[in-house]
Amino acid sequence: MKWIANDVAAVTYKAADQTIHQYIGTYGDRGSGGSYYYVGPSIHGRWSGENAEVISNQEGITVRQNGEMDTFNWDQVVQFGTLAVVLVNNGEAAWTISLNENFVVQSDSSVPPIGDISLYKATMEKNEPVKLTYKGSE
């Protein structure tokens, strides 16, 4: 188990068929609690951090890290609560994207997001989330 944020925990495990899965525990929301929102559209644009980049657009989400690239259409994006998504490829978890504590969901999609997100690799090996900052619209 790894805490990605104070209110987001990732549990990574192998299923009976040896595929990697992630369950994300999220605790509440960071707004007034009056509405539900989707993480993918909330992070629309280009995000970057140490050796990593995430692009969220109409087609889905693309992750680049250390020279490798994975692209996920919206059918491969699994939402957990209002704070995180798991990106899945062939039934196996590949990445988790979490909204950081300073992230503010904008009700007006033309306004750039405020705050950061974290990218966390789905692996049984020890790893740390990578903080990504907004770099602009796609």
Side-chain angles (χ1 to χ4, degrees):
M1 186 189 96
K2 178 70 176 176
W3 286 97
I4 300 174
N6 287 335
D7 49 5
V8 180
V11 177
T12 307
Y13 61 95
K14 280 195 176 184
D17 65 359
Q18 297 303 301
T19 58
I20 293 177
H21 293 258
Q22 276 190 327
Y23 177 80
I24 308 300
T26 64
Y27 303 96
D29 72 40
R30 300 205 188 107
S32 64
S35 64
Y36 189 85
Y37 49 87
Y38 293 95
V39 172
S42 297
I43 64 167
H44 186 83
R46 189 171 53 84
W47 300 79
S48 66
E50 187 177 334
N51 297 318
E53 181 179 57
V54 166
I55 298 170
S56 176
N57 58 30
Q58 290 81 5
E59 288 80 40
I61 297 176
T62 299
V63 176
R64 291 187 185 123
Q65 186 182 43
N66 298 324
E68 295 183 26
M69 183 175 84
D70 293 314
T71 300
F72 304 88
N73 65 45
W74 290 112
D75 291 335
Q76 297 170 289
V77 179
V78 180
Q79 174 110 6
F80 284 85
T82 59
L83 302 177
V85 292
V86 174
L87 308 178
V88 179
N89 192 5
N90 296 321
E92 188 167 38
W95 300 95
T96 290
I97 297 174
S98 169
L99 306 180
N100 287 355
E101 289 91 346
N102 66 350
F103 191 93
V104 177
V105 174
Q106 302 289 13
S107 58
D108 179 356
S109 62
S110 68
V111 176
I114 297 170
D116 306 314
I117 63 174
S118 286
L119 178 66
Y120 183 64
K121 188 168 181 65
T123 179
M124 297 305 294
E125 298 173 14
K126 187 173 182 168
N127 74 103
E128 293 296 321
V130 176
K131 182 175 108 175
L132 304 176
T133 57
Y134 183 73
K135 297 299 179 186
S137 61
E138 178 51 15

